[in-house]
Amino acid sequence: MPRCQAPRGTRDLLPAERAAFARLERIALDLATRYGYQPVETPLFEQSEVFERAVGAATDVVEKELFRVHAGRGDSERERWALRPEPTAGIVRAYVQHGMQNLPQPVRLTLTGPMFRYDRPQAGRYRQFWQFDVEAIGDPGPGIDAEIVELGARFFREAGLRDVVVRLNSIGDGDCRPAYVERLRAYFAGHADRLPALERERLAADPLRLLDSKDPLMQALIAEAPTLTEDLCPACAGHFAGVRAHLDALGVEYQLEPRLVRGLDYYTRTAFEFFRPLEAGAQQALGGGGRYDGLVELMGGRPTPGIGFGLGLDRVVLALAAQGAEAPPAPHVTVVVVSADPADTVTRLRVATDLRAAGLAARADLAQRKLSRQLEGAARDRAHFAVICGDELSHGQVQLKDLEAGTQRPVNVADLARELLRAEGQHRHGPA
Ligand code: HAM
């Protein structure tokens, strides 16, 4: 047994998995750039109040899952910080702090990075996980709502997940939601004898939470629960119709899901999630988001609408693996520099360093071993070429061996990088 292991609910991303994440990060950044979202970074930890205010003190994410950060002894600010469980709160805090309300609106921002939730670990549920997040702050919609949903759907397609479904709902606003919450409360209270203890407790604080319950005992009750769709106020109903019209015009398919709510408090109106159908066991969302028209004000800014999403990259990597997507090939070096004198690591490293400086993926064999062993190592690395340094180096020459063709010829050291770049191009594209 190793003495230390990664903490429960976290994992090491070894090269193959890290490469899968890197591929998704590239797709995310490329898409965000095409849609005009600018990358930002916010701290991995914030004042706890940022999350308590934004996400809501009575949510699972804050009540149970927040990693509170304790600084060293003697710190008078103890317990004031927490690791970010999600990025929206920090991004909106930064928007207000840096006066981004004075920029042309909306401000489109994106962030990809790790989030932390002290949750019960299981497949697809980690204590440290990665999100691709976008936020558009300062546009009341409904066009921007559709832009964001379409961007999320496109991300999954470009990543190679074929069957991701959009579930869409409107959860109303301060005008129409309170009456709905009371109807829900009465409905669930009428079935109090069928409620698990935890849900009975939640009923008092926030009946909407019960709609989000994953407890199998709740599913039949939830399926019969009242919905808000018919009772949206005229402004929310108009907005929701606008979102659907824009999505229809873009050809984005979606399922209306009148009992879809989100686990964070800041949402108003548009709420959506991305799912893959027919996954075994409890369904886990691959991503979710929605509108948060009261959040900027809650964080101390002028009233400003906003909308965004967060996509769970860990779950996308898992889904790709379940779908049998090919793992990206391990990168390999183009050139390995070897030499006849086992001890001459200086020459090998110097030549490889020059090749790297010229832009080639090169490695020096730094083990003090026979030339034949060095060449075997180059073949194992699937290198295309070996550069063999020997006595002729004193005349400015080395041997260039094409490991696939099995041919070998002398090359002037001064021409080596150029020769290799040309030969590498031919390897990749075939002879002209
Ligand atoms: P969320 O639904 O809490 O929304 O999280 C978004 C996604 O993060 C989830 O759909 C899931 O894929 C992934 N995720 C959440 N928790 C875990 C976990 N423990 N392990 C692995 N993956 C997880 C938000 O975070 C909002 N900030 C989204 C948003 C942005 N709304 C507006 N703007």
Side-chain angles (χ1 to χ4, degrees):
M1 268 299 263
R3 186 190 280 260
C4 297
Q5 305 205 340
R8 211 162 97 77
T10 73
R11 67 212 193 286
D12 302 307
L13 300 181
L14 300 182
E17 203 176 357
R18 185 65 189 89
F21 270 78
R23 177 177 160 272
L24 295 181
E25 284 162 2
R26 275 195 301 276
I27 295 171
L29 183 61
D30 174 59
L31 266 179
T33 305
R34 270 192 270 157
Y35 282 66
Y37 290 76
Q38 293 183 296
V40 286
E41 293 291 343
T42 61
L44 295 191
F45 65 98
E46 297 268 355
Q47 291 180 316
S48 319
E49 187 191 344
V50 170
F51 308 119
E52 283 155 3
R53 269 180 176 269
V55 174
T59 57
D60 277 357
V61 168
V62 166
E63 212 170 42
K64 300 195 199 131
E65 299 171 5
L66 214 53
F67 272 97
R68 292 181 189 272
V69 177
H70 296 265
R73 263 208 263 167
D75 177 5
S76 57
E77 296 172 304
R78 285 189 127 201
E79 291 231 29
R80 275 189 48 204
W81 301 307
L83 298 184
R84 66 181 181 196
E86 61 96 55
T88 312
I91 290 176
V92 170
R93 193 262 313 133
Y95 174 91
V96 174
Q97 180 176 338
H98 301 287
M100 287 192 242
Q101 284 171 311
N102 301 321
L103 301 174
Q105 305 290 301
V107 176
R108 288 184 171 83
L109 302 172
T110 182
L111 182 156
T112 297
M115 309 295 152
F116 306 85
R117 293 185 191 178
Y118 186 75
D119 206 348
R120 195 166 54 82
Q122 50 185 288
R125 193 172 293 281
Y126 306 105
R127 289 179 174 172
Q128 177 175 340
F129 59 97
W130 275 257
Q131 275 190 12
F132 162 39
D133 179 271
V134 306
E135 309 292 349
I137 309 176
D139 185 332
I144 193 92
D145 304 39
E147 172 184 292
I148 285 209
V149 172
E150 193 274 336
L151 166 53
R154 186 177 299 278
F155 171 81
F156 292 115
R157 273 204 309 283
E158 296 207 355
L161 282 182
R162 291 181 293 266
D163 49 0
V164 175
V165 175
V166 180
R167 294 186 182 164
L168 181 71
N169 192 22
S170 173
I171 58 168
D173 66 5
D175 280 343
C176 49
R177 194 163 35 190
Y180 171 59
V181 170
E182 286 321 308
R183 276 203 298 139
L184 266 185
R185 192 189 306 278
Y187 168 77
F188 284 117
H191 296 89
D193 50 330
R194 288 170 63 191
L195 293 181
L198 177 67
E199 308 303 339
R200 215 171 305 147
E201 250 171 59
R202 284 178 169 162
L203 180 57
D206 186 358
L208 273 181
R209 279 286 107 72
L210 273 63
L211 290 180
D212 207 22
S213 168
K214 303 290 176 278
D215 191 322
L217 294 173
M218 288 292 292
Q219 300 315 308
L221 264 187
I222 291 172
E224 298 290 313
T227 65
L228 176 57
T229 315
E230 302 303 318
D231 296 313
L232 288 171
C233 61
C236 286
H239 182 271
F240 194 35
V243 175
R244 295 192 318 262
H246 282 82
L247 285 173
D248 293 341
L250 296 179
V252 176
E253 289 183 24
Y254 53 87
Q255 296 173 357
L256 291 176
E257 194 63 61
R259 292 179 186 85
L260 172 79
V261 289
R262 307 264 305 126
L264 317 173
D265 272 359
Y266 48 62
Y267 290 110
T268 52
R269 294 189 169 173
T270 312
F272 55 92
E273 289 190 332
F274 298 96
F275 277 91
R276 283 179 81 217
L278 303 175
E279 264 162 11
Q283 291 213 337
Q284 288 182 330
L286 291 168
R291 184 160 277 289
Y292 45 83
D293 292 346
L295 185 53
V296 174
E297 195 177 359
L298 198 64
M299 300 303 279
R302 292 196 293 271
T304 307
I307 181 166
F309 67 56
L311 311 185
L313 297 188
D314 309 69
R315 292 182 185 176
V316 176
V317 169
L318 282 174
L320 284 169
Q323 192 183 272
E326 262 178 56
H332 55 85
V333 290
T334 307
V335 199
V336 174
V337 183
V338 299
S339 69
D341 176 1
D344 192 4
T345 50
V346 168
T347 299
R348 300 201 288 273
L349 186 56
R350 189 168 48 74
V351 173
T353 304
D354 287 346
L355 295 178
R356 288 163 172 163
L360 284 146
R363 175 175 79 71
D365 194 312
L366 295 177
Q368 303 210 356
R369 53 185 178 176
K370 286 197 305 205
L371 178 57
S372 58
R373 284 292 166 76
Q374 296 178 40
L375 286 167
E376 280 167 25
R380 242 194 329 274
D381 275 3
R382 295 189 296 129
H384 290 160
F385 303 98
V387 170
I388 308 172
C389 308
D391 294 341
E392 32 187 20
L393 197 57
S394 52
H395 309 296
Q397 284 204 324
V398 291
Q399 292 288 324
L400 178 57
K401 187 176 171 79
D402 184 323
L403 292 166
E404 280 172 20
T407 54
Q408 186 170 321
R409 64 192 165 88
V411 174
N412 285 330
V413 173
D415 301 330
L416 184 61
R418 206 173 331 118
E419 276 288 312
L420 276 166
L421 286 166
R422 194 182 55 75
E424 166 67 354
Q426 282 191 357
H427 252 279
R428 228 178 298 132
H429 308 296

